[in-house]
Amino acid sequence: MSTGLTTGATGARRRRGRYLLRRLGQSAIVLGIVLLLQFTLIHLAPGDIADVIAGDVQSDDPEFIIQLRRDLGLDQPLPIQFAFYVGRLLTLDLGTSHAFNMPVLTLILDRLPATLLLMFSAIALAFVAGAALGTIAAAFRGRWPDVLVTISALLFYATPVFLVGIGLILIFTVWLRWLPMSGMYVTWVQHTWWSLAVDIARHLIMPAVSLSLFFVAIYTRLMRATMLEVLSQDYVRTAWAKGLSPSRVVLRHAARNALLPMVTMLGLQVGSLLGGAVLVETVFGWPGIGRLAFEAVFRRDVPLVLGILFFSSVLVLMVNLLVDLLYTRLDPRIVLR
Amino acid sequence: MTEPLLALSSLTLGLRMGADLVRGLDLHVNRGEVLAVVGESGCGKSMTALAVMGLLPDGVTRKSGSVTLDGIALTSLSARRLRAIRGKRIAMIFQEPMTSLNPVLTVGEQIAEVVRQHEGVSHRAARARALEMMNRVKLPDAARRIDAFPHQLSGGQRQRVMIAAALACGPDLIIADEPTTALDVTIQAEVLRLLDELRRDHGTALMLITHDLGVVEAMADRVAVLYAGVKIEEGRVEQVLDGPRHPYTRMLMAARPDADAGRGKRLVEIAGSVPSPDAMPPGCAFAPRCPQVKPRCHDRPPAWRGTAEGHGCACVLHD
Ligand SMILES: Nc1ncnc2c1ncn2[C@@H]1O[C@H](COP(=O)(O)OP(=O)(O)OP(=O)(O)O)[C@@H](O)[C@H]1O
Ligand SMILES: [Mg+2]
């Protein structure tokens, strides 16, 4: 018999380990391909970093530029440049940012926590709000709570992130004066741990809400549709037939099943979430990777752009791996292979 | 005669602002007895069962009539009081054991939750009851299977789980809607025998919806025959099977491949088709297919004629 019953806990753990290894291998391959694409794209653009630096120091001496190219390894053939680049990545040597004149790794690690905090808050908010709103809409299908939720979701979906950001600033900073407009914490006061946490939270609210609204809309619509489907399943009828209370039927029997597609969506959305972060961080002066990426591209800082892309890809792949593992926990039918 | 456990009186079910699916149905189940409900596909058996549970699908409503359990009018009960009866005093077993269990909850949880809902006992006590029920429905290796998920069980085992959940609170009545139709022929009899055995032990009444006249003969005390949403014959099993009075029942009997080897055989379709709910003839619904049809059959629906022995039939031949 090959049911999950016959294999004990150790078997399951071993299978999970093997699965993890295989998924890590797959992720590494994907990462390699992503890096290659990124590298190619960057080098397809006309002009290179030597031109930029020469421009910065206002030199048009061709000798200087050739020397610069040689120093930067830009005279090597592209495949070799790529191999060097990957080799350096493996030792976490991401090079030096020309624009900031600092190691790329330092720059990124400095900004990473802020972005992770922002992304995590936004996606958590989107997931929880979307699941709740979608459940409410489905449970009250066709009645006013459903209509209200559906219209709101449509609004959230259609409003551009920067508009939401500016709107929030106008309301909560300019008009109500409740929330700080930009930055991550105020720098001119002496913080205790607690006051720092509160201060960061206050600064986080508007960026996180702006970044999440679009995803709230997506999760709400997905949750509503899935809940409607799940609520018509036979096992939900069985649950009603047992005399369970509506909250038990909806939450325990239906929502649990409806959350499965939501979790899948979670992994798929990390990429666009990062894209949204660039905008939101710029609007709110949030000191994260997104704004850094914006500046790096603007100033054609190739090592920094590549470094950020590398970190983003790793982030997306890791989140997807986590989501898959989470999924196997949530859905007992999935057998790891 | 004592009051029946379950009584349906002139129950009419239909689409909201549309055709009637079940018309003026009178039906009763006495304490501890087995009532079989038979009839062709689409005649309204499942709708009747769901109406008793108060679980009619969206779009289908009860237009008139009432359902009474032990003197309580279920049809005028608040949602909350009806929930206290569902699962506790009336339990239902559905046709599809594959889809009727929740895939993400263990079977133990799905049995235990009925007990917790209705008896307010601790998690632990409910789990102990679930295990006891799983042993009682003879699930092999119950102590381990209690933490299994539905997909890890076979169809027959799942239906045993459904039976365990249905019996967990010791209901007065079980409604089983073709409980074995989806199962392998070889285990159908086994599961039915189990259901019968357990309900006998508990003194539970059973409303058994089936296509199988062999099952009716083996398990039921009384049988009601439905045709196009109308009850056309009802009586004790031996009365109806040995002396069917309605031409439709007779044709059903004749269509049985072999009266002796009838077990396991489904009703064989009779020539012609059941009129659709939105094109019901004004007279007897069976008239268009009836071999003994009379001109007056087309005028108005035939009246119900009972006998003192409780064998009734709706046909002008018995007026
Ligand atoms: N959800 C629904 N909405 C509207 N009409 C329905 C719905 N489900 C079933 N019906 C209709 O109700 C009528 C009775 O259906 P019902 O399921 O009670 O038949 P049944 O006797 O149980 O048949 P079967 O033997 O196939 O299970 C059929 O005409 C069917 O088309
Ligand atoms: Mg049916």
Side-chain angles (χ1 to χ4, degrees), chain A residues 1 3-6 234-235 237-238 240-246 248 252-253 256-257 260 330 332-333, chain B residues 53 55 83 86-87 94 99-105 109-110 113-114 117-118 144-145 149 151-152 162:
Chain A
M1 213 162 71
T3 63
L5 269 187
T6 48
D234 286 354
Y235 55 78
R237 189 180 56 188
T238 307
W240 287 119
K242 287 173 176 174
L244 304 185
S245 64
R248 275 217 185 149
R252 182 179 155 92
H253 282 268
R256 257 176 99 140
N257 281 281
L260 295 175
L330 288 177
R333 283 164 299 184
Chain B
M53 299 298 289
L55 290 176
R83 282 204 303 278
R86 280 187 203 138
F94 297 95
T99 54
S100 296
L101 287 167
N102 192 324
V104 303
L105 299 176
E109 288 174 299
Q110 296 188 59
E113 68 180 352
V114 202
Q117 177 73 39
H118 294 290
R144 210 147 53 96
R145 285 233 155 76
F149 289 95
H151 73 278
Q152 294 169 322
M162 288 294 288

Side-chain angles (χ1 to χ4, degrees), chain A residues 121-134:
Chain A
S121 319
I123 203 74
L125 184 63
F127 192 89
V128 172
L133 290 175

Side-chain angles (χ1 to χ4, degrees), chain B residues 177-194:
Chain B
D177 189 356
E178 304 189 40
T180 57
T181 311
L183 299 182
D184 217 71
V185 190
T186 50
I187 48 174
Q188 287 188 0
E190 208 177 295
V191 170
L192 279 173
R193 207 173 311 126
L194 174 80

Side-chain angles (χ1 to χ4, degrees), chain B residues 23 228 274-288 297-301:
Chain B
R23 281 163 293 142
V274 190
S276 88
D278 48 2
M280 270 313 148
C284 172
F286 188 59
C297 290
H298 297 292
D299 298 343
R300 76 183 77 81

Side-chain angles (χ1 to χ4, degrees), chain A:
Chain A
M1 213 162 71
S2 65
T3 63
L5 269 187
T6 48
T7 33
T10 41
R13 207 167 305 128
R14 189 154 2 99
R15 233 167 350 165
R16 193 170 288 271
R18 256 208 322 263
Y19 173 78
L20 197 61
L21 268 182
R22 223 183 26 130
R23 283 299 316 267
L24 280 174
Q26 284 173 353
S27 303
I29 294 171
V30 172
L31 188 61
I33 295 172
V34 168
L35 286 178
L36 184 59
L37 284 176
Q38 291 172 350
F39 189 82
T40 313
L41 264 177
I42 294 274
H43 283 268
L44 277 180
D48 62 24
I49 189 62
D51 295 323
V52 177
I53 295 176
D56 277 355
V57 298
Q58 298 191 339
S59 160
D60 51 3
D61 178 4
E63 275 303 308
F64 172 73
I65 294 183
I66 290 171
Q67 182 61 41
L68 203 55
R69 289 228 163 88
R70 196 170 302 138
D71 290 348
L72 294 170
L74 296 175
D75 57 342
Q76 301 285 332
L78 280 184
I80 302 224
Q81 284 189 40
F82 180 67
F84 273 127
Y85 177 63
V86 172
R88 285 201 307 274
L89 278 187
L90 291 179
T91 57
L92 275 186
D93 171 11
L94 301 182
T96 305
S97 152
H98 304 292
F100 293 84
N101 209 1
M102 273 171 79
V104 167
L105 187 65
T106 315
L107 274 172
I108 292 181
L109 290 183
D110 263 4
R111 309 285 195 105
L112 192 60
T115 293
L116 288 182
L117 179 64
L118 176 62
M119 283 180 53
F120 180 78
S121 319
I123 203 74
L125 184 63
F127 192 89
V128 172
L133 290 175
T135 303
I136 291 171
F140 292 91
R141 175 188 201 172
R143 282 179 277 162
W144 66 264
D146 182 21
V147 174
L148 201 65
V149 166
T150 305
I151 291 177
S152 315
L154 198 63
L155 266 176
F156 295 165
Y157 187 78
T159 316
V161 168
F162 69 90
L163 264 190
V164 175
I166 292 168
L168 287 178
I169 289 177
L170 281 178
I171 296 174
F172 290 100
T173 307
V174 177
W175 187 36
L176 294 172
R177 294 172 185 276
W178 284 354
L179 293 173
M181 177 169 121
S182 116
M184 190 169 169
Y185 47 86
V186 295
T187 45
W188 58 84
V189 297
Q190 195 69 38
H191 279 299
T192 61
W193 277 108
W194 173 244
S195 76
L196 182 64
V198 171
D199 196 29
I200 291 180
R202 276 167 47 83
H203 281 82
L204 179 60
I205 294 177
M206 289 197 297
V209 169
S210 315
L211 182 53
S212 73
L213 273 195
F214 175 78
F215 298 95
V216 170
I218 290 189
Y219 283 121
T220 301
R221 287 156 57 136
L222 178 65
M223 188 69 180
R224 180 180 181 275
T226 320
M227 275 298 278
L228 284 180
E229 155 120 28
V230 169
L231 282 172
S232 69
Q233 296 291 311
D234 286 354
Y235 55 78
V236 170
R237 189 180 56 188
T238 307
W240 287 119
K242 287 173 176 174
L244 304 185
S245 64
S247 61
R248 275 217 185 149
V249 174
V250 169
L251 297 180
R252 182 179 155 92
H253 282 268
R256 257 176 99 140
N257 281 281
L259 281 180
L260 295 175
M262 294 276 284
V263 173
T264 310
M265 192 63 133
L266 206 60
L268 297 177
Q269 293 295 355
V270 194
S272 40
L273 195 65
L274 265 170
V278 175
L279 264 168
V280 169
E281 289 182 2
T282 308
V283 169
F284 289 98
W286 187 259
I289 300 269
R291 216 176 52 163
L292 190 65
F294 184 73
E295 287 171 44
V297 170
F298 200 69
R299 297 164 77 165
R300 208 182 284 158
D301 191 340
V302 176
L304 187 52
V305 170
L306 286 178
I308 291 173
L309 291 179
F310 171 68
F311 260 84
S312 320
S313 316
V314 171
L315 189 63
V316 170
L317 287 170
M318 274 179 18
V319 170
N320 273 287
L321 192 60
L322 280 178
V323 164
D324 280 3
L325 286 177
L326 179 65
Y327 201 94
T328 61
R329 287 270 154 149
L330 288 177
D331 189 345
R333 283 164 299 184
I334 291 185
V335 184
L336 303 178
R337 252 183 281 276

